[in-house]
Amino acid sequence: MEQDENIFARIKEMLGGVTPNFSILEHQVDIKLQMEYFEFSKSHQAVLTPDELLLDEPKLYSIDVDFEEKKELLVGLASIDKPEAYRILERFATSAPEQIMGWALMALQESRMLLETRILDEQQVFISTGLGGKGGKLRYFVVAFSIDHAPFSETQQRLISSEFDFSLKRFNADIEEIRFASHYFSVIAVVPLSVPIRQPFKMAIDECNSLGRFIKSSFLITNVKILTDSEIDEIVRESENPQPEE
């Protein structure tokens, strides 16, 4: 999918023009774990009946029940289209150990989508990214760089914060965090599905540069994960020193 593409319009086109109901995974869950969950859920064959699974809630909290059995229980509960199953998963997701928290969140989302499909009698389109979303919007991590690797002055930092806040609000997008490093800054923001992904950030950079060009027009954007400083530096090095083709 092209980075400037309107995600909502693209999905609608894929569904033959039908306006879909979206179910967005709001929590940040590692992409590899998501794929593992989907594969496990797809191949899992429940041994217990739905009523038996509902009675097994205490096993989720037991230190005597191993990780694999808890995974099976979570996936089994997520497949039951009853509010009782959703409430069990909701309770567990508030206090699940870190080792299994991702599985608990994925099961909770699947359960919610199943209930909404039954209640609304309409199929849901499930959207999940590594960074999740909020209020029907997807979360993005953006990195923009200063020209000539120059550090940002305090005045430039204030201008960036102001212009990005103003520009993103014009698209009904919300900034959650702006962080400045030596020669770049990062932004975490949630953007509506109907907005072309790069447009709000490009506008903000253009507005800053209209008052004195100091930000590169190219920037990084991802919804997979929040990059560390070392990962950002590595991407920059690779882009500036591309490996010769064999």
Side-chain angles (χ1 to χ4, degrees), residues 111-127:
S111 178
R112 180 187 294 118
M113 187 171 67
L114 188 63
L115 282 177
E116 289 177 352
T117 298
R118 190 192 71 176
I119 294 171
L120 300 174
D121 194 27
E122 294 180 354
Q123 189 64 41
Q124 304 285 304
V125 174
F126 181 42
I127 298 178

Side-chain angles (χ1 to χ4, degrees), residues 112-232:
R112 180 187 294 118
M113 187 171 67
L114 188 63
L115 282 177
E116 289 177 352
T117 298
R118 190 192 71 176
I119 294 171
L120 300 174
D121 194 27
E122 294 180 354
Q123 189 64 41
Q124 304 285 304
V125 174
F126 181 42
I127 298 178
S128 66
T129 69
L131 291 181
K134 181 180 179 181
K137 304 173 185 178
L138 291 181
R139 183 174 287 106
Y140 294 93
F141 180 74
V142 178
V143 185
F145 303 88
S146 67
I147 290 178
D148 298 330
H149 289 259
F152 293 106
S153 67
E154 290 187 6
T155 299
Q156 289 173 337
Q157 291 182 27
R158 288 195 296 269
L159 177 63
I160 289 168
S161 297
S162 175
E163 290 297 342
F164 266 74
D165 182 62
F166 177 76
S167 295
L168 267 70
K169 281 181 178 177
R170 294 178 62 181
F171 292 90
N172 194 29
D174 304 302
I175 292 177
E176 295 183 331
E177 177 184 291
I178 294 183
R179 187 178 70 87
F180 291 91
S182 57
H183 62 281
Y184 57 83
F185 63 92
S186 63
V187 179
I188 300 174
V190 287
V191 182
L193 292 171
S194 58
V195 173
I197 300 169
R198 297 177 64 87
Q199 190 171 335
F201 306 104
K202 182 180 184 304
M203 175 179 289
I205 290 174
D206 289 345
E207 289 294 332
C208 290
N209 283 337
S210 69
L211 299 175
R213 188 168 180 267
F214 60 96
I215 305 175
K216 290 184 178 181
S217 58
S218 59
F219 55 93
L220 300 176
I221 182 167
T222 179
N223 59 11
V224 175
K225 61 178 292 188
I226 294 176
L227 301 173
T228 65
D229 289 342
S230 60
E231 288 173 328
I232 293 171

Side-chain angles (χ1 to χ4, degrees), residues 34-45:
Q34 290 186 40
M35 297 305 298
E36 183 183 349
Y37 177 89
F38 288 132
E39 289 297 324
F40 188 89
S41 178
K42 182 179 178 180
S43 61
H44 177 67
Q45 297 292 328

Side-chain angles (χ1 to χ4, degrees), residues 49-62:
T49 67
D51 288 339
E52 289 172 329
L53 286 168
L54 292 173
L55 292 174
D56 274 349
E57 179 180 3
K59 289 185 177 181
L60 292 173
Y61 302 90
S62 174

